[in-house]
Amino acid sequence: SKSPSPRPDMPVRYFIVKSSSLQNIAISQQKGVWSTTPNSERKLNTAFWESSVVYLIFSVQGSGHFQGFARMASEIGCEKSQDWDSARFGGVFKVEWIRKESIPFQFAHHLLNPWNDNKKVQ
C-alpha cells in the first residue's frame, strides 16, 4: 500500500528497531523492506496512519551502535518475506533508508526518552 499523504498537522514518530543480526540490516538496506514481530506491527501500523512520518532507527542487539535510520514508507501487509532467518516475523513493509552508518550509542547519550523513564536512547 502507499504511504499516506503528508499531514503536517500530525506528529512525527520515532522508533528504535532492534535487529537480531547485521545481516537483516544489510538485507533491508539492499531491498528497502523490513519485517518485525506481530506485536510491533500493530504499534508501527498505528503510528504510520496517525503520524506525518515514522522514522525507524536501527540497532543490532548487543552492537553498542546504531546502524542507520529509515522512513517507514508503507503500512505492514500480510505478505511474509523469506529473506529473514526467523519464522516469528510478520508481514513485510517498505522502508526508505536515509542514512546507513554505524554510530556509537555514546554519541546519543545526551538524548533521553521521556516515555521510558528518561533513560538514554540506545
Side-chain angles (χ1 to χ4, degrees):
S1 69
K2 291 183 157 188
S3 174
S5 60
R7 296 173 286 195
D9 56 328
M10 301 297 286
V12 173
R13 297 287 306 269
Y14 299 87
F15 291 89
I16 295 189
V17 178
K18 294 288 189 176
S19 175
S20 59
S21 75
L22 194 54
Q23 180 182 2
N24 290 348
I25 300 282
I27 290 167
S28 177
Q29 290 175 342
Q30 291 169 356
K31 296 190 174 190
V33 296
W34 189 252
S35 186
T36 189
T37 63
N39 185 46
S40 293
E41 282 184 350
R42 288 184 286 282
K43 292 175 188 173
L44 289 173
N45 269 342
T46 298
F48 182 75
W49 288 109
E50 295 179 354
S51 307
S52 61
V53 64
V54 176
Y55 291 109
L56 306 173
I57 304 160
F58 291 86
S59 176
V60 175
Q61 292 174 346
S63 71
H65 288 73
F66 297 110
Q67 279 71 39
F69 65 99
R71 182 180 74 82
M72 189 174 174
S74 75
E75 70 179 319
I76 303 169
C78 297
E79 180 184 340
K80 299 210 181 227
S81 173
Q82 303 303 315
D83 292 319
W84 276 270
D85 57 1
S86 177
R88 64 189 170 125
F89 291 135
V92 173
F93 61 99
K94 293 178 184 177
V95 294
E96 294 174 357
W97 280 85
I98 298 166
R99 184 105 184 211
K100 304 171 187 177
E101 184 175 347
S102 182
I103 301 167
F105 287 161
Q106 68 189 40
F107 289 177
H109 276 179
H110 64 287
L111 301 174
L112 304 177
N113 184 346
W115 295 282
N116 191 18
D117 297 325
N118 282 323
K119 292 180 182 174
K120 294 176 183 173
V121 174
Q122 58 184 43

